[in-house]
Coordinates of all heavy atoms in Angstrom, one line a residue:
G599 N -26.6 28.7 6.2 CA -27.6 29.1 5.2 C -27.2 28.9 3.8 O -27.9 28.4 2.9
E600 N -25.9 29.3 3.5 CA -25.3 29.2 2.2 C -25.1 27.7 1.8 O -25.4 27.3 0.7 CB -24.0 29.9 2.2 CG -23.4 30.2 0.8 CD -22.0 30.9 0.9 OE1 -21.8 31.7 1.8 OE2 -21.2 30.6 0.0
Y601 N -24.7 26.9 2.8 CA -24.5 25.5 2.6 C -25.9 24.8 2.3 O -26.0 24.0 1.4 CB -23.9 24.9 3.9 CG -23.8 23.4 3.9 CD1 -22.9 22.7 3.0 CD2 -24.6 22.6 4.7 CE1 -22.8 21.4 3.0 CE2 -24.5 21.2 4.7 CZ -23.6 20.6 3.8 OH -23.5 19.2 3.8
L602 N -26.9 25.2 3.0 CA -28.2 24.6 2.8 C -28.7 24.9 1.4 O -29.2 24.1 0.6 CB -29.3 25.0 3.8 CG -29.0 24.6 5.2 CD1 -30.2 25.1 6.1 CD2 -28.8 23.1 5.4
K603 N -28.5 26.2 1.0 CA -28.9 26.6 -0.4 C -28.2 25.8 -1.4 O -28.8 25.5 -2.5 CB -28.7 28.1 -0.5 CG -29.8 28.9 0.0 CD -29.5 30.4 -0.2 CE -30.2 31.2 0.9 NZ -29.6 32.4 1.3
S604 N -26.9 25.6 -1.2 CA -26.2 24.9 -2.3 C -26.6 23.4 -2.4 O -26.7 22.8 -3.5 CB -24.6 25.0 -2.2 OG -24.2 24.2 -1.2
N605 N -27.0 22.8 -1.3 CA -27.6 21.4 -1.3 C -28.9 21.4 -2.0 O -29.2 20.6 -2.9 CB -27.8 20.9 0.1 CG -26.7 19.9 0.5 OD1 -26.8 18.7 0.4 ND2 -25.6 20.5 1.0
L606 N -29.7 22.4 -1.7 CA -31.0 22.5 -2.3 C -31.0 22.7 -3.8 O -31.6 22.0 -4.6 CB -31.7 23.8 -1.6 CG -33.2 23.9 -1.6 CD1 -33.8 22.6 -1.0 CD2 -33.6 25.1 -0.9
S607 N -30.1 23.6 -4.2 CA -30.1 23.9 -5.7 C -29.4 22.8 -6.4 O -29.7 22.6 -7.6 CB -29.4 25.3 -5.9 OG -28.1 25.2 -5.4
F608 N -28.6 22.0 -5.8 CA -27.9 20.9 -6.5 C -28.9 19.9 -7.1 O -28.9 19.6 -8.3 CB -27.0 20.2 -5.4 CG -26.2 19.0 -6.0 CD1 -25.1 19.3 -6.8 CD2 -26.6 17.7 -5.8 CE1 -24.3 18.2 -7.3 CE2 -25.9 16.7 -6.4 CZ -24.7 16.9 -7.1
G609 N -29.9 19.5 -6.3 CA -30.9 18.6 -6.7 C -31.9 19.2 -7.7 O -32.5 18.5 -8.5
K610 N -32.0 20.5 -7.6 CA -33.0 21.1 -8.5 C -32.5 21.3 -9.9 O -33.3 21.7 -10.8 CB -33.4 22.5 -7.9 CG -34.3 22.3 -6.6 CD -34.9 23.5 -6.2 CE -35.9 23.2 -5.0 NZ -36.5 24.4 -4.4
K611 N -31.2 21.0 -10.1 CA -30.6 21.2 -11.4 C -31.1 20.0 -12.4 O -30.8 20.1 -13.6 CB -29.1 21.1 -11.4 CG -28.5 22.3 -10.8 CD -27.0 22.2 -10.9 CE -26.3 23.1 -10.0 NZ -25.2 22.7 -9.2

Side-chain angles (χ1 to χ4, degrees):
E600 193 181 329
Y601 173 69
L602 297 185
K603 275 180 208 147
S604 77
N605 260 266
L606 202 55
S607 58
F608 182 76
K610 291 191 171 174
K611 286 184 196 139

